[in-house]
Every structure is written in C-alpha cells, then in structure tokens.
Amino acid sequence: MKLTPEEQAMLAGEEGEATRRAIEIVVTLGRIYGAGRLLPVESVQVAGVSYRNIGEAGLAFLRDWAAQGARVRVPTTLNPAGMDLSSRGWRAMGVSEAFAQKQQELVDVYAAMGITPTCTCTPYLVGHNPHQGATLAWSESSAVCFANAVLGARSNREGGPSALAAAICGRTADYGLHRDEQRRATHRAQVRCPVVQPHEFAALGYLVGKQVGNGVPYFEGLDLADGLDVDGSLTPQLRDALKLMGAALASSGAVALYHVAGVTPEARERQDLCAPDLPTVTVDSLDAAMAELDGPLKAIDLVVVGCPHASFEELRDVAEGVRGKRLVAKLWVTTSRGVRDQADSEGLVQAIEEAGGLVVADGCVVVAPMRELAFRSLATNSAKMAAYALPHASIAVRFGSLQQCLRAAERGVW
Ligand code: F3S
C-alpha cells in the first residue's frame, strides 16, 4: 500500500501513540482488503455507543485511547445510546440510575475525543449530511445504506473501532464502496407489486436483503413519481420510505448500497451500473415478509416508531395520529435530539406526551437495557426493528403500518 509522507509519519508514531494505533487499524484493514492507498475521510459516524453492548471492557478500551490523546480530526457523530441522555428522558423510559451513569460516562469519553455527542442513526437529518461523492467512514448499517444509496456518498460498513480509528487519523482505506467498480449493481430487483406505504418499503427491503446478502440491488418497477419534487429531489415521504427500506436491506442482508432506477443519484447519472445479465430477484408480493415479521401476538406492551430515528415529518404524523387520545400501551418514538427539539418547538412532543407516549431522543430500543424494562411484546412499522427485537431484546413482535401501530397503542391489542 502506498502511503503519503504524512501517513508514514503517523504510522511511525510521530503524531503520538493514539494516532499511531488509529492509522495502524486503518492500514491493516486496507491490507486485508487489498487497498492500494488511504483516502482522506470527510465525516465519521461511530457505533458502539450503548453501554449495554460494549460494557466495562469497551469503556476501558475507549478510556485508554482517549488518555493516550486520541482526538478526532473530522466531523464525527455517534450512533444511538441505550437511553435518552436527558435525565428526564431516561427516567421516563424506566432506565436504572446505575445504567444511566455508565451510559453517560461512555458518551463523555467519546466527547472528550472531540466527537459531537449527537447520538443518532439518522445523522443526515440533523446536519451531518454529506455531499454526493464524499468519502465517509460510517458504521451504523442503515445510515451507511442511506448515505451510499440516497446521498450518493461513499462509505463501507465500518465497525465501531475502525470508524473511530478513521476519525482519529482522518483516513480510510480505498477499497469496497469507495471504488467505482464496486458500486455497480450485483442484482436486479424487479418489483411487480404495489409498494406504497412506508412499512411496505421496509417489507420490500427485508425480502430483497435476504436474497442478495451483501450485494448491490438495482430496483426497477417501483412507481415513485409522486415522491419526486419538480427539481428531482425526494419528498420527505419518499426519503423516509427509503430510510426504512435501506434499514431493512441492511438487516436481513448486509446491503450497504442500493440503486433505484430514475431516483437515486448514481442510477440517474451512471449508464454502467446495471449489466444486462445480472441475476434477478423478482418480488410479486410482500406477503412472505409480512408472514415472517408479523407474529401472532394480540396484547401489545410497547409500540416503537422511529427505527431508523424518526424525521420531523414522521413525528408530526405520530402526533396527529394520537392527538387527543389516551394510549393504553406504551408508545416510544425514537429520534435524534435535534429533531426532538424541533418537534418540541412545534408542540408535537406535547401532543404525543399528553396522549401518554414518549419521544425518546438519543436512544434505540434494540440497544436499550430491555431486560430491565420488562417489556414482552412490541409493535412497529420498521422491518429492522421487527427483525432485531426478538434476538437482541427478547421481545415478540407485530409488524404493520404506522396506523396499525398507533391503533395498537390506543387499544393495547393488535
Ligand atoms: Fe437506529 Fe436502533 Fe433502528 S440504531 S436503525 S433505531 S435498531
């Protein structure tokens, strides 16, 4: 691998041990994947933020790196934590004081490295919004999928340590989705059924992800004309639907990039994306996804909306759906702190809370200490949440539309 003089100096420890460790990780990964060089990275998103997941060993590893002087060189944000970081928020979730203290300690260590303590899987909705072609090292799988597919930026699916290493040395290795040739489609995904509601996009992503694994699907047959503004930009509704679809593609498979004919930036610009002889995945119906994701439960303890973290428009839809009602089941809308603040200023948080719901900023149910919280059943409009809730949080699931989820919150049954 060819390194610049500056990179060689970092590797020789001339910029300190913390940077040496960081670039060593990036170079090692690059060698494993056959990269010929490193690339300057413009933006990083770091996973490994829930204390429930990384525990004392992970916290000690990060403390040690920070104590050696690790500081990030590029704008860097964090993945969701295991709770709302405000004391009002985590107390309302029912999180224990002991967990909250450790969780905050972990975020503080990241902040000491210069990372913006914005904990979200949708950084692109709160100002961490890379331009087309930007070189990233992001690690949240749904965010990576959105950044590559919808924004046309370039990131591999980084692990937490490799993303952090990239932030500290300001480099990532030039392999995988940083390379034009790796961004070509590996499969055609022919859609032959209506896909209209957001949860249907999620179901479609779930089905296609299962079939293509870590491939790059090229979607054809989606009728998305209503989702494009006159200037060709996506409406918030289509953006949010693609957010749900990408999260599902990245969770049932390991998809980090997809294209949608006539919609996503590279599908509009590149003629060489989709070879004529690619294997084809045909989707005639979403029934198989519904059958897998939607269990036979009746009683619902918790309804979760906002996986990936809710946009302002999604929060508004929830607020309108529950305004003036009295919910029986718990309703958690997970989102970023920035979107929560915006929704708060428009009275949307108040409408949700008056109905008995909770707007959880900074956190994610999948990485929250759910065993402490004793929920047994959950309803969601996110295929990713539906797929992860049982294995990661031991919770049985119903999957359906936002309207079905809000009705379940109102009645306590599906
Ligand atoms: Fe985000 Fe958690 Fe879903 S990280 S994508 S809310 S599983």
Side-chain angles (χ1 to χ4, degrees):
M1 186 187 303
K2 203 163 182 312
L3 299 180
T4 65
E6 188 190 351
E7 291 158 358
Q8 286 170 10
M10 285 190 220
L11 199 55
E14 290 174 24
E15 295 196 24
E17 176 57 15
T19 303
R20 192 203 62 74
R21 270 172 85 177
I23 199 162
E24 186 178 65
I25 291 172
V26 172
V27 167
T28 302
L29 278 171
R31 288 198 175 121
I32 290 169
Y33 289 105
R37 60 176 181 165
L38 303 184
L39 298 170
V41 73
E42 292 176 48
S43 139
V44 174
Q45 193 256 357
V46 174
V49 180
S50 169
Y51 180 72
R52 195 199 87 178
N53 283 8
I54 82 162
E56 216 39 46
L59 183 52
F61 169 82
L62 293 169
R63 266 201 218 106
D64 179 49
W65 214 349
Q68 283 179 332
R71 297 292 178 270
V72 300
R73 295 170 189 239
V74 295
T76 304
T77 58
L78 294 173
N79 220 25
M83 62 180 205
D84 187 312
L85 294 176
S86 72
S87 67
R88 178 180 180 271
W90 62 256
R91 284 181 206 283
M93 290 173 73
V95 169
S96 69
E97 191 110 28
F99 181 87
Q101 196 186 332
K102 285 294 184 185
Q103 179 61 79
Q104 188 58 54
E105 210 179 307
L106 178 47
V107 172
D108 290 346
V109 175
Y110 281 124
M113 294 186 195
I115 297 177
T116 310
T118 298
C119 297
T120 182
C121 47
T122 57
Y124 47 86
L125 295 179
V126 283
H128 194 169
N129 194 16
H131 61 88
Q132 188 176 347
T135 299
L136 319 179
W138 284 18
S139 47
E140 208 298 304
S141 64
S142 73
V144 170
C145 208
F146 191 93
N148 277 313
V150 181
L151 304 179
R154 296 181 171 218
S155 180
N156 288 316
R157 272 169 70 126
E158 300 289 345
S162 70
L164 184 56
I168 292 167
C169 67
R171 303 289 193 282
T172 192
D174 184 18
Y175 69 94
L177 294 177
H178 296 294
R179 315 242 359 132
D180 278 351
E181 65 275 14
Q182 299 289 326
R183 298 180 70 85
R184 292 203 189 103
T186 59
H187 296 75
R188 245 170 230 280
Q190 283 278 356
V191 183
R192 295 189 183 155
C193 58
V195 180
V196 179
Q197 296 197 61
H199 77 289
E200 293 173 339
F201 280 84
L204 174 64
Y206 182 80
L207 287 179
V208 173
K210 280 189 87 166
Q211 303 231 25
V212 307
N214 63 357
V216 179
Y218 186 95
F219 285 89
E220 295 173 317
L222 284 166
D223 180 8
L224 301 180
D226 288 349
L228 297 174
D229 282 329
V230 277
D231 65 354
S233 60
L234 306 188
T235 62
Q237 290 69 31
L238 180 54
R239 176 203 63 202
D240 290 341
L242 294 180
K243 167 167 84 74
L244 281 164
M245 185 172 90
L249 282 162
S251 54
S252 66
V255 172
L257 167 65
Y258 64 89
H259 304 289
V260 181
V263 173
T264 51
E266 282 156 285
R268 289 184 193 204
E269 290 172 10
R270 281 181 65 177
Q271 306 304 316
D272 63 338
L273 273 186
C274 192
D277 54 348
L278 291 180
T280 299
V281 174
T282 304
V283 181
D284 291 315
S285 152
L286 303 175
D287 290 352
M290 302 307 289
E292 280 184 44
L293 295 170
D294 184 29
L297 281 174
K298 274 284 167 210
I300 300 295
D301 297 336
L302 175 65
V303 173
V304 177
V305 177
C307 169
H309 274 176
S311 66
F312 175 81
E313 290 78 8
E314 289 173 312
L315 260 163
R316 189 180 56 202
D317 290 346
V318 174
E320 294 317 319
V322 302
R323 193 182 289 281
K325 300 195 170 138
R326 193 70 224 147
L327 304 180
V328 172
K330 299 263 190 204
L331 166 66
W332 287 2
V333 189
T334 48
T335 190
S336 57
R337 175 78 38 199
V339 167
R340 188 192 190 283
D341 288 348
Q342 190 192 356
D344 197 20
S345 68
E346 306 256 340
L348 305 179
V349 173
Q350 191 185 355
I352 293 169
E353 292 191 349
E354 280 176 359
L358 193 62
V359 179
V360 176
D362 321 309
C364 161
V365 166
V366 166
V367 297
M370 294 306 278
R371 285 199 178 85
E372 282 184 15
L373 304 180
F375 292 116
R376 292 284 164 269
S377 58
L378 171 156
T380 183
N381 63 343
S382 162
K384 176 175 179 179
M385 178 62 63
Y388 280 15
L390 192 57
H392 289 260
S394 304
I395 298 183
V397 175
R398 296 275 346 205
F399 170 72
S401 68
L402 177 64
Q403 292 69 27
Q404 286 174 298
C405 290
L406 297 184
R407 210 175 310 129
E410 202 182 328
R411 298 179 185 166
V413 291
W414 187 262

